[in-house]
Amino acid sequence: MSMVSRFAANVAFWTAAVSAALVAVASLRFLALGVSASMEFVAHNLDRNALMLYAHIGVAPIALALMPFQFMTRLRASRPKLHRWLGRGYVVSILISGIAGLQLAFHTTAGTFAATGFAILAVLWLATTGIAFAFALRRQFPRHRAWMLRSAALTFAAVTLRVYLGSSMAAGVDFEVAYPLIAWLCWVPNVFVMEVYLQMARPGKTRLISATA
Ligand code: HEM
């Protein structure tokens, strides 16, 4: 990889890692402020669905915060045990928050179109992560890496959703119009971009997603 493309890959990685950390921390605001005050849109779940709500909003940020560490090449090489433990944490947190996210999808007040987008995202999130974990157990590491990248592209939907939501609000688009579309837009392009990358990065081709940290 040339110095310029290595620099570009590192900038992209660190931008994604910092935005994932910021969204993860911001998502835990309910701990200080309470759900009703800080996440009014999902507060209706407190009535009969509080366990699933807390399982999702309390655990999903852990997956998001752990994800970037798993793609740090030097860290992975120098601390393989740490990589395995963080990986288990990532998988377990997705198992819990993914099942809860699937259940929350059926309780969204944003309509069937949004519910379907979130539900498919949840199923794909659980499936890609489970497949990636299974390949790690079988020590099939190129396949493990490819499926973890697919899982990460879906985890990153938490960031893209908030970026699109913020942008649409800034552009004055009606929330009722924007939100159901964003329930799909937050992950479909991520999947597409990752599949293009995985095609480009097949053995013998350039490796772009990883940091040297
Ligand atoms: C990628 C799979 C994910 C799925 C399928 C999913 C699904 C959902 C659903 C259905 C809701 C309720 C939305 C509504 O009622 O309209 C929700 C809310 C929420 N999710 Fe996720 N989610 C995912 C990933 C994440 C991640 C990685 C985070 C970590 C930050 C996260 C944090 C939250 C938070 C904090 C809320 C409360 C809404 C708010 O931010 O105000 N989710 N999610």
Side-chain angles (χ1 to χ4, degrees):
M1 202 194 287
S2 75
M3 261 179 66
V4 175
S5 51
R6 188 183 294 275
F7 177 75
N10 274 329
V11 169
F13 174 83
W14 285 107
T15 306
V18 169
S19 53
L22 290 176
V23 170
V25 171
S27 296
L28 292 173
R29 66 194 181 277
F30 74 93
L31 292 173
L33 305 169
V35 171
S36 304
S38 63
M39 298 174 179
E40 204 187 325
F41 196 63
V42 293
H44 65 92
N45 287 287
L46 287 173
D47 283 346
R48 289 194 186 157
N49 204 24
L51 182 66
M52 288 296 171
L53 178 65
Y54 284 119
H56 185 72
I57 62 178
V59 180
I62 299 174
L64 188 61
L66 290 181
M67 178 185 70
F69 293 101
Q70 299 304 83
F71 295 101
M72 293 177 178
T73 311
R74 272 193 217 153
L75 182 71
R76 207 169 54 227
S78 63
R79 308 283 305 273
K81 258 193 181 168
L82 180 67
H83 176 77
R84 286 198 288 272
W85 277 110
L86 295 183
R88 286 178 194 120
Y90 177 78
V91 170
V92 171
S93 51
I94 289 178
L95 183 65
I96 296 168
S97 62
I99 292 170
L102 178 60
Q103 202 266 1
L104 286 185
F106 295 108
H107 286 79
T108 183
T109 53
T112 313
F113 188 66
T116 313
F118 284 132
I120 296 174
L121 169 62
V123 170
L124 292 178
W125 202 33
L126 289 162
T128 51
T129 311
I131 293 169
F133 185 55
F135 279 126
L137 293 179
R138 287 190 205 162
R139 309 186 67 77
Q140 295 188 22
F141 296 119
R143 285 177 162 176
H144 164 62
R145 185 173 183 277
W147 282 96
M148 271 306 179
L149 281 167
R150 291 186 172 107
S151 163
L154 295 171
T155 307
F156 203 68
V159 175
T160 42
L161 181 138
R162 282 148 186 96
V163 170
Y164 300 152
L165 209 52
S167 313
S168 67
M169 283 163 77
V173 183
D174 227 3
F175 181 81
E176 276 75 29
V177 174
Y179 191 72
L181 289 175
I182 291 171
W184 289 85
L185 267 180
C186 69
W187 63 271
V188 175
N190 300 14
V191 169
F192 182 74
V193 169
M194 187 52 75
E195 287 310 315
V196 170
Y197 166 74
L198 288 171
Q199 283 302 314
M200 283 169 49
R202 276 179 310 172
K205 297 199 174 174
T206 326
R207 194 175 208 183
L208 295 171
I209 299 177
S210 67
T212 47

